[in-house]
Amino acid sequence: MTTTTPHLPTAGTVRLADHLAAELARAGVTHLFGVGGANIEDLYDAVHRGGTLRPVVAKHEFSAVTMADGYARTTRRLGVVAATSGGGAMNLIPGLAEAYASRVPVLALVGQPPTGQEGHGAFQDSSGKAGSFDAREVFAPVSRFCARVEDADSLLELLPRAVAGAQAEPRGPAVLLLPKDVQQARIRLPGRVPAPAPAAPATDLDSAALTAVADTLRGAGRVLVIAGEGVAAADARAELAGLARHLGAWVAVTPDAKDVFDNRDPRFAGVAGVMGHANVADCLRRADVCLLAGTRLPLLARGGLDRALGAADVVSLGAEPPFVPGTALAGDLREALRAVTGRLPPRSPACAPHSGPLPGPVAPAVRGRAVPYAEAIAAVEAALPEDAHVFVDAGNAGASAVHLLPAPRRGRFVVAVGMGGMGYTFGAGIGAALATGRRTYVLAGDGAFFMHGMEVHTAVEYGAPVTFVIFNNNAHAMCALREEFLQGGVRGDDLFGRTDIAAGVAAAFPSLDVTGAGDAAQVREALLRGNAGGGPAFVALDCDPQEIPPFLPFQPFAEATGTAGHPDSKENPDERRVVHVG
């Protein structure tokens, strides 16, 4: 039992904020991302005094959350973000929603006004008292655990619960609301402070489900595996590859999981879903069984595949049941992959011939200095280090990157499809780069840049090894194409006047290596120069807003203009119908 004492130092006591910072370090956290303010300044002070955690100050709380998200996705450790009350707290919500939907373990430490002021007109009061809204009710829907630390005593119980809640399946954010006076309170610790609670132990696999899955696979002639982000979260790439070898299976990946299987392996079938490859649908039609590993197969990952899925036996491995009917083996994914492999005959048959992830429809650029997506992505591929991380933002450029860019062999390839918020990559890429020290590429359009691109300032301030590649079509081009194809014509709202982003960034950050690239060769040269440096680099290139990306909802319209279609495509008319995704 701790004992709360007045805020003046007393022998044998410690300030709660100092204790919190020390416990985070003891749990393996290395960075604290956030934006300061009066009601969280005591925690920042404790972090600086402790000297173990590295504080990183973002330009916006959304990006601070995505920094913690990128940190967590690339290290498989808990990401931590801290923000003050009021608007700062509310700015966390979109980032936490992404972490919730994508099952990313993040701990949010949110300052609150002093408890004595709650319900008495406190500035930024969100206690739920005297007509104020209750922050717990706001954060609860986007968190696995949410609690207000009412007094210093309760933190010793709530912090381990929050950490465990973030890291248990299904993973996601945990939120602790920390009133200022509670952060300042001095506590007398017991003789031995318990370590933060570890993640809940994996439960035993259901033997009947294991037998059913293994029997189905053993009797299958051809198998298509579709692997998802859960493989990366479970660090189960080797187990996935081993099972694929035993089965002689083709392996496809979901859009947010390109890195979970070697994209250059002969078994690699491509990306599934609306940004994917026609070969995946072809393999699925030829397969007896579709094995889902670490994915629930949401719409973005199964768009165009529903008909073929209905004709195959579906089995799934993972913590949560899939969105399609099938036999599910729930539990720890790594253990499930090992267990299923152990039930199969010791053989490694060659996979059946397939066409591989051949590029699908990409309409050519038609305007001036515009660089076609395919050429720009090829330049990125040529320069990308094998151990780099890649973060791909939303929009036409993102769809092209998912479709065309092979994942680095030893790095992450992250696409935030949980909420799909534009601008996610700027913070996430910085968090990943600072956490791992590896060169990290951020691929984003101008729309995403104008939302959260000023986090470039954060990269410059901290010397983060991030290369920002901005595909500038001076538009919200995916919205404009939707207007043209699905709503009867472009309204013009989403087409903008030309902006020279490179010139603006170069003027704002004189120390930053900035290139305005006029062609793919200049893109590659700038990227290689950035790789050789130790800090951030920035490359902007012009793209055509009328270029149609490889995105399934646009495919019928691209084919109608004669700019799309693959000669080897065997999709039937039902599978080419417009797929409605936001």
Side-chain angles (χ1 to χ4, degrees):
M1 181 70 176
T2 60
T3 302
T4 304
T5 65
H7 298 168
L8 295 175
T10 305
T13 66
V14 63
R15 186 174 53 158
L16 181 135
D18 295 305
H19 171 67
L20 175 54
E23 287 300 289
L24 292 175
R26 203 153 69 104
V29 176
T30 58
H31 291 69
L32 177 76
F33 304 98
V35 181
N39 286 328
I40 200 65
E41 63 189 1
D42 297 283
L43 176 59
Y44 277 96
D45 177 67
V47 168
H48 279 280
R49 289 175 183 269
T52 304
L53 300 179
R54 185 183 186 190
V56 178
V57 176
K59 309 286 91 63
H60 191 280
E61 290 84 1
F62 169 79
S63 291
V65 181
T66 67
M67 288 177 193
D69 178 304
Y71 172 103
R73 293 199 205 213
T74 52
T75 66
R76 299 184 59 247
R77 296 196 298 264
L78 180 70
V80 181
V81 60
T84 193
S85 52
M90 296 302 100
N91 285 340
L92 297 172
I93 297 296
L96 294 178
E98 169 60 40
Y100 183 95
S102 291
R103 309 313 194 232
V104 180
V106 170
L107 173 63
L109 304 171
V110 186
Q112 297 287 278
T115 54
Q117 297 178 12
E118 293 174 353
H120 297 284
F123 179 57
Q124 299 178 331
D125 189 358
S126 57
S127 64
K129 299 176 181 177
S132 66
F133 71 88
D134 190 338
R136 285 174 296 191
E137 296 180 359
V138 176
F139 284 104
V142 293
S143 62
R144 305 296 177 189
F145 178 87
C146 179
R148 185 185 300 274
V149 183
E150 301 285 2
D151 55 62
D153 259 3
S154 61
L155 183 74
L156 287 187
E157 173 201 353
L158 293 175
L159 179 60
R161 289 177 60 192
V163 171
Q167 296 179 321
E169 293 286 0
R171 300 178 182 92
V175 179
L176 289 177
L177 304 171
L178 299 165
K180 183 175 178 67
D181 57 319
V182 173
Q183 296 175 56
Q184 295 175 328
R186 302 194 68 84
I187 56 175
R188 191 179 303 278
L189 297 174
R192 183 175 179 276
V193 179
T203 56
D204 291 337
L205 299 173
D206 181 85
S207 59
L210 174 58
T211 298
V213 168
D215 288 349
T216 300
L217 293 172
R218 194 181 297 112
R222 290 176 177 172
V223 177
L224 172 67
V225 176
I226 302 179
E229 164 69 15
V231 175
D235 193 20
R237 292 176 179 83
E239 289 78 7
L240 171 67
L243 178 56
R245 283 194 302 271
H246 270 73
L247 293 169
W250 303 300
V251 180
V253 294
T254 58
D256 57 339
K258 282 200 78 170
D259 58 283
V260 304
F261 190 80
D262 186 352
N263 292 187
R264 298 157 186 85
D265 189 292
R267 301 180 190 280
F268 183 61
V271 178
V274 299
M275 292 172 275
H277 300 97
N279 181 56
V280 176
D282 183 45
C283 289
L284 181 56
R285 281 190 294 271
R286 296 164 60 195
D288 303 304
V289 175
C290 179
L291 167 62
L292 308 180
T295 177
R296 304 180 72 190
L297 212 63
L299 181 59
L300 282 179
R302 74 173 190 271
L305 301 179
D306 280 320
R307 185 182 182 91
L309 282 166
D313 287 333
V314 177
V315 296
S316 74
L317 311 179
E320 298 180 83
F323 293 115
V324 295
T327 302
L329 174 58
D332 180 82
L333 178 60
R334 200 173 185 182
E335 292 303 316
L337 288 165
R338 289 172 176 169
V340 171
T341 303
R343 296 284 188 99
L344 299 176
R347 58 190 179 92
S348 299
C351 70
H354 63 113
S355 63
L358 295 172
V362 180
V366 296
R367 295 188 180 187
R369 296 177 68 247
V371 181
Y373 289 129
E375 293 182 14
I377 296 300
V380 173
E381 180 183 358
L384 188 66
E386 288 196 346
D387 65 346
H389 301 304
V390 178
F391 285 78
V392 177
D393 221 296
N396 287 359
S400 299
V402 169
H403 189 81
L404 297 170
L405 180 63
R409 291 183 187 273
R410 300 191 302 276
R412 291 299 327 269
F413 190 109
V414 176
V415 187
V417 298
M419 289 288 105
M422 292 171 64
Y424 160 89
T425 57
F426 292 93
I430 292 169
L434 292 176
T436 66
R438 297 190 196 178
R439 176 59 52 180
T440 300
Y441 276 43
V442 166
L443 309 182
D446 53 308
F449 173 79
F450 286 123
M451 287 192 179
H452 291 284
M454 282 299 100
E455 293 302 334
V456 169
H457 179 275
T458 308
V460 171
E461 286 291 300
Y462 292 92
V466 182
T467 298
F468 301 95
V469 186
I470 309 303
F471 299 77
N472 181 15
N473 51 29
N474 296 290
H476 287 167
M478 185 168 280
C479 295
L481 289 174
R482 290 182 65 88
E483 293 163 14
E484 178 180 355
F485 295 148
L486 305 176
Q487 295 189 318
V490 178
R491 296 190 297 270
D493 311 39
D494 292 306
L495 300 175
F496 314 134
R498 184 176 185 274
T499 302
D500 191 339
I501 293 176
V505 170
F509 306 106
S511 65
L512 179 63
D513 180 0
V514 178
T515 300
D519 57 35
Q522 293 178 13
V523 172
R524 179 178 179 273
E525 179 183 350
L527 296 178
L528 291 172
R529 188 171 63 248
N531 293 347
F538 190 97
V539 181
L541 59 142
D542 286 345
C543 297
D544 186 350
Q546 293 183 338
E547 181 175 359
I548 302 173
F551 188 55
L552 190 58
F554 297 160
Q555 185 173 337
F557 307 100
E559 290 171 347
T561 65
T563 60
H566 191 279
D568 293 330
S569 175
K570 300 179 178 63
E571 291 180 312
N572 62 41
D574 177 72
E575 289 163 328
R576 291 201 307 267
R577 70 187 186 278
V578 176
V579 177
H580 290 283
V581 294

